[in-house]
Amino acid sequence: MSLEKHSADVGVTEDGVDYDELEALLGERVIDRETHLNAEGFVVRPDEVEGTLELLREEAGFDHLSMVTAQDYPDRYESIYHLTKYDDRTQEVSVVVPTDPENPTSESAASVYKTAEWHEREAYDLVGVDYENHPDLRRILLPETWQGHPLSSDYDQDKPQLVTLDEHVNPLAESSKDSESDTMFLNIGPHHPATHGVLHVKAVLDGEQVADVEPDIGYLHRCEEQMAQQGTYRHQIMPYPDRWDYSSAGLLNEWAYARVAEDLNDIEVPEYAQIVRTMGAELCRIAAHMLALGTFCLDIYGDFTAIFMYAMRDREKVQNILEDLTGQRMMFNYFRLGGVVWDLPEPREEFFAKIRDFIDDLPETLEEYHDLITGNEIFQTRTINTGVLEPEVAKQYGCTGPVARGSGVDYDLRRDDPYGYYDELDWDVVTEDGCDNFARLLVRMREVEESAKIISQCVDLLEDWPEDERNIQSNVPRTLKPDPDTEVYRAVEGAKGELGIYIRSDGTDKPGRFKIRSPCFNNLHSLEAMAEGEYVPDLVAALGSLDVILGEVDR
């Protein structure tokens, strides 16, 4: 596995980020500094956001805006821009922007990072921060007629909310579109086989070609972040992450919470439990990629072909193994802070044999998929050079996972910010430079092979692990209360990409602020760049190639 990375950006030393040099670069823009567990935070004035972020991106190389977190304090509103680099994920910095509680207005970052458009819309929608110069500042998760901002301190949760009929106006009505235009407005969804969930795609067609696309989300918003803020660190939050991506990737999501909570509370995980976690997570990755492959082919061919059934068959085999491991079939709830809930099932030999049988059959299975899919002329015609996403465009949208790697962006947190047992194993990060729908499929198929390599090595290790050293959990205090105002952002490589969580502690046994960075949220935003100029069937293919789960988009 190649760990070689390089950077010649300002503020970079052999030991990591030189925050003093970054502060010198930003000059008088910095009015204060904060220390977060993962990175230093520079506090800047609300009218210096654009200039600050532009300097950090152009001069210091922070080209990846992971997430924007907005918060409401008694004396201020605050936006935090979490920045890192595609070339070196270990380098991080935060830009903190406090604003007046009476007039929470702050400069928009959308001119510097395209992905800020959606993140700031969400911050405006839920918290109420007004971003000046934002190109399209309106609600994103809630209806336009919603009264108030649910995460602001003055929000009345008991006030009835009525969504007027204006929200359901016929989008073909003349009032919503230019009657002189030759274009046609086409609704896809919110309930449609091509949308993989409750997603409304507003498409404007010029003849047969897509002139404009706007994904309309929020139909599945479930207040996951607020629910997490009402749960205790130790036990009550862990069941939620499974439900963000409810398809197959549960353990990967559980790991995102486990990692951030363990860092926040300084909890070590035994080596044996790390291997079990790594094995389980990669089984989930295979299951998730199998589902993505099957549904993508469903989008391409337009009916229930044998490929979909084959993919579901192989996904079922993985689900059976995961059920043996966790006792659950979909919502696993297997991770615990400090380890996992229980050891491998007995008899262990039978469990290992089941995994090995699956792994041994995979090469022939994947060869069969290649015969049916990648070697198929119709499939190639529909996917090669369609849904093109150039690498720099992918970075602007904050894309990660197979979507970014299909555009040649060599970014994978398992290697670039190692956790678990990944850095002890032999495997490779998969990239393709096709930048199209075909490349994204190829990445997922090749990643299944890499996951199989990881699982096989984990099984080897677990088989030989001494019985009296099978420590599945470290000692974790019954009640966890991190120091107040401790802040941390941590992420893992989910099936769809970078799945991150920001937590700010308020000194109690529950998070003061819990914010989720969903890879699907960022990846779906890039659909507008991928679909413009394409035909409608290619728009459907592009959406399918993103492998979005709306539960994770809306949270």
Side-chain angles (χ1 to χ4, degrees), residues 82-119:
H82 306 269
L83 304 177
T84 184
K85 301 180 180 181
Y86 279 103
D87 280 344
D88 189 344
R89 181 58 180 74
T90 61
Q91 297 184 27
E92 298 177 68
V93 67
S94 299
V95 174
V96 183
V97 188
T99 57
D100 184 349
E102 300 301 323
N103 180 29
T105 303
S106 171
E107 235 177 35
S108 170
S111 63
V112 186
Y113 300 98
K114 182 73 177 174
T115 187
E117 283 185 13
W118 273 28
H119 285 282

Side-chain angles (χ1 to χ4, degrees), residues 466-487:
E467 186 172 355
D468 56 355
E469 296 179 14
R470 295 174 191 165
N471 189 3
I472 61 168
Q473 274 194 50
S474 57
N475 291 322
V476 179
R478 184 180 296 274
T479 302
L480 298 170
K481 291 184 178 180
D483 293 336
D485 290 328
T486 309
E487 301 178 48

Side-chain angles (χ1 to χ4, degrees), residues 285-522:
R285 194 180 310 278
I286 291 178
H289 282 359
M290 285 292 179
L291 184 63
L293 184 150
T295 53
F296 183 51
C297 292
L298 204 62
D299 290 330
I300 297 298
Y301 292 113
D303 59 8
F304 274 90
T305 61
I307 301 169
F308 178 80
M309 302 308 294
Y310 283 15
M312 294 301 290
R313 173 201 64 190
D314 294 318
R315 176 175 172 271
E316 282 296 295
K317 294 177 183 175
V318 186
Q319 293 290 127
N320 290 338
I321 296 170
L322 287 167
E323 186 175 2
D324 291 344
L325 176 65
T326 68
Q328 305 290 329
R329 194 159 184 85
M330 294 295 289
M331 307 301 168
F332 305 113
N333 193 18
Y334 179 64
F335 278 32
R336 292 292 180 273
L337 299 191
V340 295
V341 64
W342 50 60
D343 200 356
L344 305 180
E346 296 287 353
R348 292 166 66 93
E349 295 74 18
E350 190 176 307
F351 179 68
F352 291 137
K354 197 170 183 177
I355 297 176
R356 288 200 187 283
D357 287 345
F358 174 71
I359 298 297
D360 291 344
D361 289 343
L362 260 183
E364 186 178 345
T365 302
L366 290 171
E367 191 63 36
E368 192 174 38
Y369 285 133
H370 280 294
D371 290 341
L372 288 166
I373 307 172
T374 58
N376 184 297
E377 186 178 348
I378 297 173
F379 190 87
Q380 292 177 5
T381 304
R382 292 285 314 281
T383 57
I384 294 177
N385 291 327
T386 62
V388 173
L389 186 67
E390 297 295 342
E392 291 307 314
V393 179
K395 290 178 181 178
Q396 267 291 310
Y397 279 94
C399 293
T400 53
V403 175
R405 292 193 285 274
S407 294
V409 179
D410 187 12
Y411 182 80
D412 189 317
L413 273 79
R414 293 174 292 175
R415 177 201 62 191
D416 299 336
D417 185 17
Y419 57 95
Y421 215 70
Y422 288 111
D423 57 348
E424 302 289 334
L425 305 174
D426 181 27
W427 61 283
D428 293 302
V429 173
V430 174
T431 58
E432 291 282 340
D433 56 8
C435 307
D436 53 16
N437 292 327
F438 192 73
R440 290 185 277 278
L441 175 85
L442 280 184
V443 166
R444 292 194 180 90
M445 292 181 69
R446 290 178 57 198
E447 284 189 357
V448 167
E449 298 176 33
E450 295 302 318
S451 293
K453 282 166 59 177
I454 294 171
I455 294 167
S456 180
Q457 293 170 71
C458 289
V459 170
D460 289 343
L461 291 165
L462 295 171
E463 272 183 328
D464 298 333
W465 209 267
E467 186 172 355
D468 56 355
E469 296 179 14
R470 295 174 191 165
N471 189 3
I472 61 168
Q473 274 194 50
S474 57
N475 291 322
V476 179
R478 184 180 296 274
T479 302
L480 298 170
K481 291 184 178 180
D483 293 336
D485 290 328
T486 309
E487 301 178 48
V488 62
Y489 172 77
R490 278 280 179 262
V492 299
E493 188 67 33
K496 277 72 172 167
E498 178 180 339
L499 176 62
I501 296 173
Y502 162 86
I503 293 180
R504 178 183 60 81
S505 165
D506 59 4
T508 70
D509 60 348
K510 300 172 184 175
R513 181 75 169 101
F514 190 99
K515 180 76 175 69
I516 305 164
R517 192 269 185 200
S518 152
C520 294
F521 184 81
N522 288 65

